[in-house]
Amino acid sequence: MIQFTYNGISSADMGIRIQSKSIYSAPKYDISSVSIPGRDGELLVPSGRFSNATVSYTCFVPAKSIDALGEKLTAIKAWLYTEPDRYHVLTDSYDKLFFRKAVISNKLDIAEQCRRIGTFTIYFSCYPFRYSNEGQRKIESTETLTLINPYPFNAKPYIKVNGRGEGTLIIQSDTSNKIWTFKTLNGFTEADSEQMNFYHDTQTKNDTVSGEGFPILYPGRNTIAFEGAITSIEIIPRWVCL
């Protein structure tokens, strides 16, 4: 059965039948152009980011009566609009190797729409990238390791650095060589490159880590090494593609 899962609940469990899926807008790369007097053409100024994409599902809900339909649609809206202030994992049977981070973006009353034309459309505003399920697998290592980013887009990993004292983390690729120094490791420090944050549980550790930006896994080969007081690392690479 064709279905999608949002915020941990399947559309099939809510009695929804899927007619079709559409991606209304491919992610747009945010770039501006600047005209320079005396120079032909325009200078492109990239911001380094993609905008969100819109994913929708055209659905219908079978019911034996108008009252039964109304009861089902009320439950569906309660599900979809729970925690509308944050992104949730969205998966579907059209794309089994990847998932998206999405939030409901409907502005229509789906109950009224369904009663009028028999179907309704659910819209999600999604992060521009699809996340590889394989890229969510945690990798643990007590020595230098090499990871291959299989996609042509930078991955923003989660890395847990374990140890006590001061140590350095080095990530090398064909185009980059970055080093971070962890000054006061107290068991571990976590690095979340998507959230742009170094922390220990709920305690911010940004002021104890020095280095340029946050860890990035570039397309192709990435060698991850560590020294000093760091004894091991745990990494979730978060491979992405459009």
Side-chain angles (χ1 to χ4, degrees), residues 137-148 158-160 169-173 217 220-226 230-237 239:
R137 182 174 61 88
K138 183 169 69 175
I139 301 166
E140 302 180 29
S141 181
T142 58
E143 57 186 12
T144 298
L145 75 156
T146 297
L147 298 179
I148 306 297
Y158 162 87
I159 301 177
K160 185 176 184 180
L169 175 71
I170 307 101
I171 301 181
Q172 295 177 309
S173 70
L217 300 178
R221 183 180 300 272
N222 294 266
T223 300
I224 305 167
F226 47 90
I230 300 175
T231 56
S232 66
I233 62 170
E234 303 167 33
I235 180 168
I236 300 175
W239 308 132

Side-chain angles (χ1 to χ4, degrees), residues 4-7 55 57 88-92 98-102 124 126:
F4 68 85
T5 298
Y6 176 67
N7 199 8
V55 174
Y57 299 89
H88 303 284
V89 171
L90 174 67
T91 65
D92 65 38
F98 297 87
F99 69 91
R100 291 183 181 271
K101 293 184 179 181
F124 293 101
C126 303

Side-chain angles (χ1 to χ4, degrees), residues 52-55 87 90 101-106 123-127:
N52 271 15
T54 299
V55 174
Y87 289 91
L90 174 67
K101 293 184 179 181
V103 64
I104 186 72
S105 61
N106 274 55
Y123 295 89
F124 293 101
S125 177
C126 303
Y127 270 29

